[in-house]
Amino acid sequence: MTNGSQTFGIAIPDNWTEYDLSGDTLAERRAELLRQTPDKPTRDVVNQAFRNARRIMDGARRRGAVYAAGTTTMYEDGLLMAGLLVFSITPPPGEDFSAHGLAKQFSATGDRRGQGTTRTFTTETLPGPGQVGRLVGIEESEVAAGVSYKLVVMHTVVPVPDSRRVLIITCFSPNIPLADQLYDLFDAITSTFAFGEEAPVGAAR
């Protein structure tokens, strides 16, 4: 994947799909799941999940997303949905350019965060880019007036070499009960991120 003059790659699991930011891939996946789902309550869950995902994708495109991927899989105990977005951001002059400052301002949906938002900032070291900032926790956003929903999130702030720009890798999922397993998965995916021509196996190119 090329962002300006800087090439980067990130590996996604085999059962994940690269999404075009127009949302067309999401629409195809939604139709596929609905064909496999005969009962109305489950169809309602699928439709609501994809409405929320489409809303996140639309907002991500407006906010500078350059890459999107995810998975939507129906299991016996329900729907698993998880996604990854990569944003390219250049903070305006005078704004807090630190990883901590950028991460605190960031959200998966781009909307005002609700009272249910609880996130923790840490500094991590990735094999490729080295030291990065990371914000992990739960975000609550309004999907409609008076209607909120929560996401498990992991935002990783990666400085672009020799640039004022940063990339923010945002992983998210509405499957709150699986938070611990999702954090492990998100960390494993993000750890494959690398700059340069040699993108990791399975990465976006």
Side-chain angles (χ1 to χ4, degrees), residues 21-157:
L21 286 162
S22 69
D24 289 345
T25 316
L26 273 179
E28 294 169 4
R29 182 61 181 144
R30 171 180 169 272
E32 181 182 343
L33 277 178
L34 288 175
R35 286 194 295 269
Q36 302 170 8
T37 308
D39 61 291
K40 186 179 184 303
T42 305
R43 291 172 67 88
D44 290 343
V45 169
V46 169
N47 281 324
Q48 184 60 56
F50 275 88
R51 277 194 292 269
N52 292 344
R54 181 59 182 261
R55 181 171 176 269
I56 291 172
M57 194 75 72
D58 288 345
R61 186 175 61 251
R62 292 193 298 270
R63 291 183 292 137
V66 295
Y67 178 75
T71 183
T72 49
T73 306
M74 184 65 71
Y75 293 98
E76 290 184 3
D77 54 353
L79 177 68
L80 172 65
M81 178 173 280
L84 177 148
L85 295 161
V86 179
F87 296 86
S88 177
I89 294 177
T90 302
E95 286 199 9
D96 189 350
F97 187 62
S98 69
H100 191 187
L102 288 171
K104 283 175 63 179
Q105 298 172 30
F106 214 76
S107 71
T109 64
D111 294 338
R112 179 180 59 81
R113 294 177 290 279
Q115 294 182 348
T117 294
T118 55
R119 305 180 304 175
T120 301
F121 181 82
T122 61
T123 299
E124 307 290 338
T125 301
L126 299 187
Q131 191 173 80
V132 299
R134 175 170 286 172
L135 200 64
V136 174
I138 304 297
E139 286 181 6
E140 182 179 42
S141 299
E142 284 195 352
V143 65
V147 180
S148 64
Y149 70 109
K150 293 183 178 181
L151 294 172
V152 176
V153 297
M154 177 181 288
H155 304 295
T156 303
V157 181

Side-chain angles (χ1 to χ4, degrees), residues 1 6 11 20 27 29 64 76 94 100 108 129 141 146 153 156 169 176 178 184 192:
M1 193 75 170
Q6 183 68 61
D20 65 278
R29 182 61 181 144
E76 290 184 3
H100 191 187
S141 299
V153 297
T156 303
I169 306 168
I176 307 296
L178 301 177
D184 289 342
T192 69

